[in-house]
């Protein structure tokens, strides 16, 4: 089940900060933190020994290298991505790692990870919109700037509200204004 790593994002369209969010190493780091936090809470509730979470966090504090190839090799045998990851962590942490994932499903980990990745991607997009306004707005005719700023702010509001139709509408309005500006500039 080894994946072709180069297929995650098209390199010529990808920026390093956005690409990094979707790399396997980043995904596994998020998985670990979800699992460790859940184990920690179960320790506080008395469901698992508190020493289990301590062992996980102590290992994590060493800033371990995520061995994607080793996890892929385990997955080739187990045919299950989360089990492969948990097995790899247990090989590195030791016996206390057996308490990870208790009471959880794979979807608990996968869905939470996707939500974190989408949040982080949205943060990058919001920062890019701010940079677009601050760095490039002066390139447009002064009479267009308020309308463009309004479209950008609408897009940011829609993105923050997770309103994809609002985001698409704001992007379309922005595009139409830019296209109109280019047409007018070409006519001069």
């Amino acid at each position: 089940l080894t994946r072709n790593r180069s297929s995650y994002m098209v390199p010529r369209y990808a920026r390093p900060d956005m690409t990094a969010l979707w790399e396997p190493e980043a995904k596994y780091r998020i998985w670990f933190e979800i699992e460790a936090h859940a184990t920690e809470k179960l320790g506080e509730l008395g469901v698992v020994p508190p020493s289990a979470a301590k062992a996980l966090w102590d290992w994590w504090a060493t800033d371990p290298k995520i061995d994607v190839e080793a996890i892929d090799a385990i997955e080739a045998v187990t045919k299950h991505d989360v089990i492969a990851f948990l097995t790899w962590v247990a090989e590195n942490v030791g016996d206390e790692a057996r308490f990870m994932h208790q009471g959880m499903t794979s979807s608990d980990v996968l869905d939470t990870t996707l939500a974190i990745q989408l949040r982080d991607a949205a943060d990058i997009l919001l920062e890019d919109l701010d940079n677009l306004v601050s760095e490039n707005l002066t390139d447009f005719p002064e009479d267009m700037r308020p309308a463009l700023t309004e479209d950008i702010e609408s897009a940011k509001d829609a993105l923050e509200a997770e309103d994809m139709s609002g985001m698409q509408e704001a992007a379309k309005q922005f595009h139409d204004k830019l296209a109109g500006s280019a047409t007018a500039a070409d006519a001069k």
Side-chain angles (χ1 to χ4, degrees), residues 7-26:
S7 67
Y8 285 110
M9 296 190 78
V10 179
R12 71 176 168 267
Y13 300 122
R15 295 189 338 266
D17 54 346
M18 187 64 82
T19 301
L21 294 177
W22 305 99
E23 291 296 325
E25 293 86 355

Side-chain angles (χ1 to χ4, degrees), residues 40-48:
E40 184 173 34
K41 190 62 177 176
L42 290 174
E44 291 170 8
L45 295 172
V47 176
V48 303

